[in-house]
Structures are given as C-alpha cells and as structure tokens.
C-alpha cells in the first residue's frame, strides 16, 4: 500500500502487514472516522427536572450518560483498546444534547497530566479527591469535589464496559488482560503504560476535549528500558504496540473538507530534550515514534523535537530523515533558549524543564497550565489606526511614525488584558473531566477554568508581524530616506489600492530588500517591534488573575484578516493573503532558507515566552541523498546557534500540491504542515489550499550546511 507524501523518498517497511492494513483502513478509507459520525452524542431529554439543575449537576449527568451509553468500538486486530466514538466531540463539544441542543462546549489548548495516571491510576485519583474533600473547610467547594468523584466513577463505568466487551470478543484476550489493571491502577510495564495513556486520552476526547500528549518518550522510556532489559519485550514488539497508539489517533478522520483540515485536534507530541536531572531523556521510544511516523506517513500527531547544542548526531540525522519525507510532521524547539525564556520569565526550573505545548506549538507546563491566547493583527493596527486608513497625520520623521504605531499597539495589548480579566471573572463553565487531570485542581478544590491550575496563562499573540515591519520599512525608504514621494502622496496612492502609481508599486515590490533576506536594516525593525510588544505585555503582567506572556502567531488567520486589510506599503494590494506566524511575507524572501533563519533570529526571541513560529519550506531535490541530510541537520543546528525558538520544516513540491488540488482523489493522505497542526491537503478548502501553495512556492528554498552558518 502507498501512503502519499510530498516527497518521493521511499519509505522503509518495519511494521507487520496487519498493522499496516489497520493504518490503511484508518488513514486511507477513513473507516473509523466515518463510523464515529454515525452517533453524534447522547440525549439528556429523559432526565427529570434537568432544566432546574445547576450547570455542574448537568455536566456530571452528561459525562455519566456519555460513559454509560457511548458506542463501544473494538477494531479488528487492535492492540490498544478504547475509542472516542461520539461525533459531536469532533466539533469541540461535550457530546450530550438536551432538546437537540449541545449543552456544553469542551476544552482544548492544554496538555494533561498523564504521569499521575501512569503512577497511581484513577483509583489513586479517587483517594486524593476523598482526602482533599475530607480536609476541606470551605463548603462552597464541596460540589466540585462531588463532581470530581462522579467523574472518576464515570471513567470507571466506561472502563468496565470495555472490559466486558473485550472479555466476550474472540481474539481479544491479550487486550483484556492488559486493560484489567490500567488505567485503574499504576502501569507495571510498557504495554500497560501505552494502554493507560491511550485510554485516558480517549476518555478525555470522548467527553469532547482536545488534549495534547506531551513528552511521550519521557513518559514511556523507563517502562520500555526495563522490559527490554528483562527480556519481556523486543523492540519490534514495542514498535507494533506503539504503532497502534498512533493509528488509533486517526479515529476522528473522515476525509471530508473542513476549512483548515480534518486533523486539527491538538494531539501533539514532544520528543527528546533534557529531564529534571539534566540528563538527555532520548531513549528507544524516541526512535520508535520516528520509525512509526516515517513508515506510515501518519500526520495526526504533529511532533516537535527538543534540540540543543549537544543533541546527539544520531538523533539529528534520524529527525532529518523523517523530515525529508515531507508532510511537515516534525518540527523543532530550541530547548536552551526556551528554558532560558521560561526561567527568566519566572517559572521554576523544575517546571520549565518539563515544558511541552498546548496542542499546537505554544509552550506551556504540561498538567499544570490553563492556557489561552489572543491573536491580533499588527498590520491592521498600522494601517487603520496609526495611518488612519491612509488619512494620516503629518509625521515629521520615521521615528515619530514608529512611536505612534507602538502606542497604538500598546493600546491593543491593554484592551486584551482588560477583556480577558472581565471574562475570567465571569467564567463558571463546568469542566471536571479536564480538572481531574490538571494540577492542582484537586488540592485547591477549584476547576480548571476557574483558576485551579498551578498556572493560568493568557498570551497576547501578535500577527502580521512581517507585513507590519515591511510596511514600516517601505515607508522609511520611500518617504523619509529616498524621498521618492511625500508621506501624504504615498498615502493617497495606497488609498487607491496602488491604482494611480504602478511604477512605485513595482519599486516597492522589487527594489527593497525586506525581512527574511538577512538585511539588518529591515530585520531590526521586526526585532524592535517584538521588543516593544514584549515590553507592553510586561507592564501588565501581575496586574490580573493570570500570567500575561507574549507570543507570535497567525495560525492561518492571515486568510480571515485579508479582506479587512488595506493596500500595504510594501507593494501588496488590498485583500492579499500575507505572512504567517513570524515567517516572511510570501514573495519577499529571495535568498536561502539560511537567510530566513538568520532574519528571524535577530529578534530576542526569549522575550516571546509562549513562542514564535518560523515556517520553512524546502524543495525535495535539496534534501535528497547524504548531502540533503547534512543540509537539514545544518539548518537545524544553525537555528539553535543563532537563537531560534520554534521551526516547522515542510518538504513540499508545489507541482504535487497543484495536482492534488485538481485531483484530490489521487492524493487522499498527502499531508502538509498548516501551522501548529498538519492536515491532509485534500481536506483543506480552496482558500487554505491556495495559501499553502503560495506560501510553499514562495518559501521553497535551497538549504545548505555552511559551516559559517552553523557556528556564527
């Protein structure tokens, strides 16, 4: 069978034919996703006096009904059991309806605490709840403790239903034995540990939530190491078990077009890096994960590898081998910079060292963080506020213009802080399923959404950064330095969408070297904006019920922002889809991938505490053979040495993408990196497909391993 990618590099075969067939049914035939859609959710209509219950009582009954009535699915030949079988969960809803209306939204942008479930199971959680409730001296918290207890009971009901079904099904004896202990009690071996994490993850998803996985190799590594040493398991057997974990993660894939793709469920995984003892956690699980995603071309668990200046060459090479297959499945964090960023911000090192993400790439402390972010468009602020929709006041200098822009940007940040403070104080939505797996909701007696976690984070995210910087740079060059036109004349041209001066537009497009080409003058405007943005956030940090660290992202919002933007000073017309994340504006990056990385790294990215993403697209021809592997390795290490934060690399051939757009049936599993997630290209709508094609056509770069770049 063939798993389509954007690269023609042949994939190795390590997994059994039965496992590959299971993957084929999930990823190519969408068998289990289509099955999930058959039952949207459970009905709560039969519950007496439902409308008069408290929200928490309604929620508890909904979770109980879900656990008691959701369809049980046992796939033929599966090695790991449990499935989120209610279709409304795919829509980010608690899959329970009253009079045809969903009762609750669910929770995402978090990575829950799987370490505790591996260690003590839900029986241990029940004991923690009982002890905390017994010691509680605040009566208003007792309903939440009751809800926690009822949630554990619901988890147990669902667990018992699966045990009963497996016991009665021929050929499932091993699955039954493996599920008997976990996740009720702590896991004793690798197989139980994989099953425990999966079953817990599936329960969270069954109730509508979209959690990340986090540091899977760190969670599972010691279990596998012990089993291998004791001769209880071989690497090939472990690979088969873990492959079923990944294949089961495709159970919500339907193959249908859904705007931003059918795989945006935030089930991200983080690999490698150092642990609390300062030692590298890379282990056999790290390499098994890379084996599996390489062979199956599976893209539903976007993976980020934590790398640093001391990362072993074997791992760098293995990551590069997987990257060159395309699909954008593997991204990288610069671990050293992120640890410095988190600790300088105020996180204790013991928490910072365990960082993962929120299900996209925004950094958080897993199992301890209620995370949300608020995006805004810096380009729109410049165009509509600072330049007053091009009825601009008479700025006497570039510095005066820039200072007005930063003042407007700071007002935006202040408004975000005020809005989120008001929202936080009003929040009372029940979310006990998530609260059960987040520290310290149990000990505090407070839910996840009401401040029960160790860290509550609201992160303003600046978008359109490259376009705002390029616009300012174009004005600086054209008006204040080269004096080709006055500011008022330039504004008049822009107000007419460049229609009155095409020659000036071509000059702005072709004669000015913008961000992304290692041009210090342009790059430092971008860096300066980021510094001032970080300072604006810092002024408000500690003045509300949450942490307020900055970050940089668009997550594809450049599509929805485009219709409301005006013509841009750097030569782009009204309505064009422009830059994503902290990447260059499409069409402006005219040098190599190394130049893009160099421009990006000139900012002090430590200040962007929750993240700043760079997208790089490479041509398949530049990553082939030994030279290609060395080039990708060099690019990653250059990114580390220069001070990058997060880089997602896609190997893409725009010719194949255009073919897939015309004949989607021929490329059903062709995967592309969108932003913090991957998507099968055929399930993106045309707007998103066009954005990916334009982005990749513009950013397709030569990649070299120049030693001067590796060691700046």
């Amino acid at each position: 069978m063939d798993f389509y990618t954007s690269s023609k590099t042949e994939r190795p075969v390590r997994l059994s034919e039965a496992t590959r067939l299971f993957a084929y049914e999930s990823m190519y035939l969408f068998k289990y996703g289509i099955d999930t859609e058959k039952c949207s959710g459970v009905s709560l209509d039969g519950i007496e006096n439902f409308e008069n219950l408290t929200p928490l009582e309604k929620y508890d009954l909904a979770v109980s009904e879900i656990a008691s009535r959701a369809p049980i699915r046992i796939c033929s030949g599966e090695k790991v059991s449990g499935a989120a079988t209610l279709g409304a969960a795919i829509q980010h809803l608690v899959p329970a309806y009253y009079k045809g209306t969903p009762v609750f939204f669910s929770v995402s942008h978090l990575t829950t605490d799987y370490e505790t479930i591996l260690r003590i199971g839900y029986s241990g959680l029940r004991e923690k709840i009982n002890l905390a409730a017994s010691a509680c001296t605040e009566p208003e918290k007792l309903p939440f403790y009751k809800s926690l207890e009822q949630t554990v009971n619901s988890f147990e009901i669902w667990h018992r239903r699966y045990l009963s079904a497996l016991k009665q099904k021929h050929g499932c004896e091993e699955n039954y034995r493996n599920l008997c202990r976990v996740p009720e009690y702590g896991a004793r071996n690798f197989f139980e540990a994989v099953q425990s994490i999966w079953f817990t993850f599936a329960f969270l998803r069954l109730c509508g939530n979209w959690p990340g996985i986090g540091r899977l190799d760190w969670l599972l590594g010691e279990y596998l190491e012990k089993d291998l040493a004791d001769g209880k398991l071989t690497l090939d057997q472990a690979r088969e078990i873990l492959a079923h974990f990944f294949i089961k993660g495709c159970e919500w894939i339907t193959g249908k077009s859904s705007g931003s793709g059918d795989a945006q469920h935030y089930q991200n995984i983080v690999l490698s890096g150092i642990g609390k003892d300062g030692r590298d956690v890379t282990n056999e699980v790290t390499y098994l994960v890379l084996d599996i995603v390489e062979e199956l071309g599976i893209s539903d668990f976007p993976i980020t590898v934590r790398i640093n200046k001391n990362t072993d060459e074997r791992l760098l090479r293995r990551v590069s081998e997987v990257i060159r297959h395309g699909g954008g499945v593997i991204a990288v964090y610069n671990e050293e910079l992120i640890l410095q960023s988190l600790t300088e911000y105020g996180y204790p090192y013991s928490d910072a060292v365990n960082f993962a993400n929120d299900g996209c790439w925004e950094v958080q402390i897993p199992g301890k963080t209620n995370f949300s972010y608020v995006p805004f468009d810096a380009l729109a602020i410049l165009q509509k506020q600072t330049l007053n929709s091009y009825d601009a006041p008479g700025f006497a200098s570039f510095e005066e213009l820039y200072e007005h822009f930063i003042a407007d940007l700071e007002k935006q940040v202040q408004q975000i802080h005020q809005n989120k403070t008001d929202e936080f104080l009003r929040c009372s939505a029940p979310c006990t399923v998530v609260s059960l797996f987040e520290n310290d909701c149990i000990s505090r007696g407070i839910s996840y959404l009401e401040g029960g976690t160790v860290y509550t984070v609201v992160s303003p995210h600046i978008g359109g950064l490259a376009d705002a910087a390029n616009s300012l740079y174009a004005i600086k060059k054209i008006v204040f330095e080269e004096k080709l036109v006055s500011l008022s004349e330039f504004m008049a041209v822009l107000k007419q969408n460049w229609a009155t001066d095409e020659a000036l537009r071509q000059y702005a497009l072709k004669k000015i070297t913008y961000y992304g080409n290692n041009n210090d003058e342009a790059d430092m405007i971008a860096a300066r904006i980021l510094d001032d943005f970080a300072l604006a956030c810092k002024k408000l940090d500690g003045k509300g019920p949450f942490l307020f660290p900055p970050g940089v992202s668009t997550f594809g919002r450049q599509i929805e922002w485009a219709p409301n933007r005006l013509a841009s000073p750097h030569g782009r017309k009204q309505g064009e889809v422009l830059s994503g994340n902290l990447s260059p504006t499409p069409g402006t990056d005219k040098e190599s991938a190394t130049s893009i990385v160099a421009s990006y790294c000139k900012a002090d990215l430590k200040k962007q505490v929750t993240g700043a993403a760079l997208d790089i697209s490479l041509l398949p021809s530049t990553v082939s053979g030994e030279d290609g592997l060395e080039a990708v390795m060099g690019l990653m290490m250059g990114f580390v040495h220069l001070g990058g934060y997060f880089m997602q690399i896609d190997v893409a051939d725009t010719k194949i993408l255009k073919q897939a757009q015309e004949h989607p049936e021929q490329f059903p599993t062709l995967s592309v990196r969108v932003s913090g997630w991957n998507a099968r290209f055929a399930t993106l709508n045309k707007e998103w497909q066009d954005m990916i094609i334009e982005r990749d056509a513009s950013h397709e770069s030569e990649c070299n391993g120049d030693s001067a770049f590796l060691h700046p």
Side-chain angles (χ1 to χ4, degrees):
M1 78 197 65
D2 185 20
F3 295 96
Y4 294 94
T5 67
S6 57
S7 171
K8 295 181 180 179
T9 307
E10 186 177 346
R11 293 183 181 273
V13 176
R14 304 181 188 89
L15 296 167
S16 69
E17 185 60 28
T19 293
R20 289 174 60 78
L21 178 60
F22 185 27
Y24 182 80
E25 290 177 337
S26 297
M27 298 167 57
Y28 187 88
L29 301 180
F30 316 113
K31 179 177 179 180
Y32 305 109
I34 292 170
D35 182 63
T36 299
E37 287 191 316
K38 293 176 182 177
C39 182
S40 180
V42 299
S43 173
L44 306 176
D45 292 355
I47 296 173
E48 187 177 350
N49 202 35
F50 183 81
E51 291 180 351
N52 295 323
L53 299 176
T54 68
L56 195 57
E57 290 171 334
K58 292 177 181 178
Y59 180 87
D60 290 341
L61 284 168
V63 172
S64 178
E65 289 293 295
I66 289 166
S68 301
R69 294 165 51 192
I72 298 294
R73 181 195 297 138
I74 300 171
C75 305
S76 177
E78 70 178 16
K79 294 182 180 296
V80 180
S81 297
T85 55
L86 295 174
I90 303 175
Q91 308 305 319
H92 211 305
L93 298 168
V94 176
Y97 294 82
Y98 182 70
K99 295 185 177 179
T101 302
V103 182
F104 298 107
F105 288 98
S106 51
V107 178
S108 61
H109 290 290
L110 78 162
T111 293
T112 47
D113 173 20
Y114 300 100
E115 182 184 7
T116 298
I117 203 76
L118 282 176
R119 192 175 67 253
I120 64 174
Y122 63 72
S123 64
L125 290 175
R126 180 183 278 128
E127 185 176 345
K128 287 180 65 175
I129 293 164
N130 290 336
L131 287 172
S134 298
C136 180
T137 59
E138 301 170 79
E140 67 274 12
K141 292 184 177 180
L142 293 179
F144 176 63
Y145 280 119
K146 182 180 178 181
S147 179
L148 285 167
E149 185 178 0
Q150 291 183 344
T151 299
V152 174
N153 292 340
S154 295
F155 195 10
E156 184 175 33
I157 288 169
W158 193 58
H159 182 202
R160 298 289 181 239
R161 289 181 65 208
Y162 261 94
L163 286 174
S164 177
L166 287 167
K167 192 172 184 179
Q168 297 174 42
K169 190 172 179 64
H170 177 71
C172 291
E173 293 79 11
E174 187 176 29
N175 297 59
Y176 174 78
R177 288 193 299 271
N178 202 40
L179 194 61
C180 271
R181 180 176 177 85
V182 297
E184 184 172 6
Y185 303 103
R188 300 168 298 185
N189 55 53
F190 178 74
F191 206 162
E192 285 186 351
V194 172
Q195 175 65 81
S196 183
I197 293 175
W198 171 259
F199 204 80
T200 303
F201 173 72
F203 179 68
L204 281 155
R205 297 220 304 176
L206 178 72
C207 297
N209 306 293
W210 294 2
I213 302 292
R215 305 187 73 182
L216 188 64
D217 54 353
W218 174 72
L219 289 166
L220 295 174
E222 289 187 4
Y223 291 98
L224 181 55
E225 182 181 1
K226 186 176 185 301
D227 284 357
L228 292 173
D230 293 344
K232 294 180 179 179
L233 205 63
T234 67
L235 272 178
D236 286 342
Q237 290 171 327
R239 186 183 294 108
E240 292 285 326
I241 293 166
L242 196 56
H244 282 242
F245 179 100
F246 279 82
I247 297 165
K248 294 278 286 187
C250 301
E251 66 184 356
W252 281 358
I253 302 309
T254 64
K256 297 178 181 178
S257 177
S258 56
S260 57
D262 67 351
Q264 190 181 351
H265 301 123
Y266 304 143
Q267 53 199 53
N268 288 26
I269 285 171
V270 176
L271 297 178
S272 190
I274 59 174
K276 293 179 182 179
D277 59 2
R279 296 180 181 178
D280 186 1
V281 306
T282 307
N283 57 65
E284 292 294 353
V285 175
T286 314
Y287 290 98
L288 291 182
V289 171
L290 295 172
D291 286 352
I292 291 161
V293 298
E294 179 186 43
E295 179 170 347
L296 298 180
I298 200 163
S299 60
D300 298 272
F301 292 86
I303 293 164
T304 307
V305 182
R306 290 169 50 160
I307 62 175
N308 56 58
K309 293 172 184 174
N310 299 313
T311 297
D312 188 88
E313 185 177 340
R314 178 193 172 204
L315 180 61
L316 288 175
R317 176 173 290 273
R318 193 72 190 90
V319 169
S320 298
E321 288 171 344
V322 180
I323 284 174
R324 73 174 177 181
H325 284 293
V329 179
I330 306 291
V332 291
Y333 281 131
N334 180 0
E335 182 177 62
E336 291 165 305
L337 179 130
I338 293 172
L339 287 176
Q340 188 177 356
S341 173
L342 293 173
T343 53
E344 288 183 2
Y345 181 74
Y347 286 101
Y349 183 81
S350 58
D351 278 347
V353 75
N354 197 36
F355 79 83
N357 51 39
D358 72 323
C360 279
W361 50 255
E362 305 99 302
V363 163
Q364 65 167 244
I365 311 305
K368 293 186 175 184
T369 308
N370 172 353
F371 177 86
S372 63
Y373 73 101
V374 183
F376 66 93
D377 183 5
L379 179 62
I381 290 173
L382 174 65
Q383 292 178 338
K384 296 189 175 182
Q385 296 179 39
T386 308
L387 296 174
N388 194 30
S389 297
Y390 299 142
D391 288 324
F395 297 114
S397 67
F398 175 76
E399 280 301 313
E400 184 183 351
L401 166 61
Y402 180 84
E403 291 301 328
H404 273 76
F405 168 64
I406 294 304
D408 291 333
L409 189 152
E410 189 165 351
K411 290 176 186 175
Q412 176 70 48
V413 171
Q414 291 168 347
Q415 189 62 57
I416 290 170
H417 190 276
Q418 184 61 57
N419 291 346
K420 293 302 288 188
T421 298
D422 295 343
E423 179 184 315
F424 183 83
L425 294 174
R426 293 194 306 268
C427 180
S428 61
C431 56
T432 314
V433 172
V434 162
S435 302
L436 182 64
F437 303 103
E438 284 281 327
N439 297 304
D440 280 328
C441 293
I442 294 175
S443 62
R444 293 178 176 180
I446 304 172
S447 80
Y448 172 86
L449 290 175
E450 294 175 309
T453 53
V454 177
Y455 306 108
T456 299
V457 175
V458 173
S459 181
H461 271 214
I462 189 170
L465 190 282
D467 300 305
N470 288 343
S471 293
L472 285 165
Y473 187 51
I475 294 171
K476 183 173 186 260
K477 299 297 286 185
I478 290 171
V479 174
F480 294 108
E481 291 185 359
E482 299 176 11
K483 302 186 185 301
L484 299 179
V485 291
S486 68
L487 182 60
S488 61
E489 289 170 335
F490 197 16
M491 297 299 100
V493 171
L494 293 173
K495 200 167 185 179
Q496 295 299 316
N497 197 22
W498 290 102
T500 59
D501 201 334
E502 178 62 19
L504 185 60
R505 188 175 87 90
Q506 290 301 317
Y507 183 89
L509 278 173
K510 297 177 181 178
K511 298 298 183 181
I512 300 176
T513 303
Y514 294 109
Y515 168 79
N517 298 283
N518 201 13
N519 172 13
D520 284 344
E521 194 174 15
D523 299 339
M524 292 315 295
I525 291 178
R528 186 180 176 189
I529 294 171
L530 288 178
D531 278 353
D532 288 328
F533 166 56
L535 180 60
C537 295
K538 187 175 182 179
K539 290 176 182 177
L540 295 167
D541 220 342
K543 296 183 179 180
F546 42 73
L547 301 174
F548 201 60
V552 187
S553 75
T554 60
F555 293 116
R557 286 184 177 84
Q558 59 267 39
I559 292 177
E560 64 186 68
W561 289 341
N564 298 314
R565 289 169 163 175
L566 307 176
S568 296
H570 58 305
R572 309 307 287 264
K573 291 192 174 182
Q574 184 175 2
E576 289 191 43
V577 176
L578 301 177
S579 66
N581 297 323
L582 194 43
S583 304
T585 305
T588 60
D589 50 319
K590 300 174 183 179
E591 302 296 328
S592 66
T594 55
S595 294
I596 296 174
V597 172
S599 290
Y600 160 81
C601 290
K602 286 174 188 171
D604 186 356
L605 297 173
K606 294 192 303 297
K607 295 178 180 178
Q608 306 307 315
V609 181
T610 63
L614 177 66
D615 311 308
I616 295 285
S617 294
L618 302 175
L619 288 163
S621 59
T622 70
V623 300
S624 62
E626 180 61 25
D627 288 346
L629 285 179
E630 293 285 348
V632 177
M633 291 167 65
L635 186 67
M636 290 191 292
M637 291 311 295
F639 159 83
V640 168
H641 280 279
L642 289 175
Y645 194 109
F646 172 82
M647 179 169 64
Q648 42 199 22
I649 303 173
D650 206 351
V651 176
D653 187 335
T654 53
K655 293 179 182 178
I656 290 179
L657 295 179
K658 290 177 180 178
Q659 291 174 21
Q661 191 175 45
E662 294 178 7
H663 303 286
E665 73 284 353
Q666 296 179 17
F667 301 87
T669 61
L670 171 62
S671 173
V672 292
R673 188 80 179 200
V674 180
S675 187
W677 68 96
N678 296 70
R680 270 158 287 276
F681 186 76
T683 67
L684 296 169
N685 66 24
K686 189 174 185 303
E687 275 188 313
W688 283 80
Q689 288 181 344
D690 288 344
M691 180 189 73
I692 296 294
I693 289 171
E694 182 180 3
R695 178 198 72 185
D696 288 357
S698 170
H699 293 174
E700 280 177 349
S701 303
E702 292 295 327
C703 174
N704 61 69
D706 191 309
S707 60
F709 180 70
L710 285 174
H711 305 287

